[in-house]
Amino acid sequence: MNSEKLLSYLLDTAQDLLSTATYESQTYKAPVIVHWLAGLLESTAPDVTPLLIAISDPITGEAIEEITGEALLELRLKLPDGTELSASRTLVRG
């Protein structure tokens, strides 16, 4: 998977996890989404190193535990050739 598709895949998956969150899945909790994304990255691109997978309050920048409205997802990855990629997305729980 090329790097642009990988970033898009991870960002879209995070929103999908939040959109389909249930009490059982716990995917409205930031650490659970981060764990899912780390696992997806390891299984789809094991040669890519995650430098940052973080979910925070979009206004204060503080880490959050539970997403109740909007949250900012930030990704920073390092490719095998040393190139660093970064992307962010506002996640919305609806």
Side-chain angles (χ1 to χ4, degrees):
M1 181 178 303
N2 74 38
S3 56
E4 301 246 345
K5 285 185 180 181
L6 177 62
L7 283 172
S8 179
Y9 172 65
L10 293 171
L11 295 171
D12 290 346
T13 298
Q15 182 59 60
D16 291 344
L17 288 168
L18 182 59
S19 295
T20 60
T22 64
Y23 177 77
E24 292 80 15
S25 72
Q26 300 283 303
T27 55
Y28 55 87
K29 294 187 177 182
V32 173
I33 293 175
V34 168
H35 180 76
W36 269 87
L37 295 179
L40 285 173
L41 183 59
E42 184 177 337
S43 66
T44 58
D47 55 343
V48 174
T49 304
L51 301 175
L52 175 72
I53 303 175
I55 298 177
S56 61
D57 182 290
I59 296 171
T60 67
E62 292 184 28
I64 57 175
E65 282 293 312
E66 186 174 316
I67 302 169
T68 57
E70 292 186 351
L72 179 64
L73 168 63
E74 296 175 274
L75 299 173
R76 208 166 65 236
L77 310 174
K78 187 174 185 178
L79 301 179
D81 67 3
T83 303
E84 289 188 20
L85 303 173
S86 61
S88 62
R89 178 176 182 169
T90 300
L91 302 175
V92 180
R93 183 172 179 191

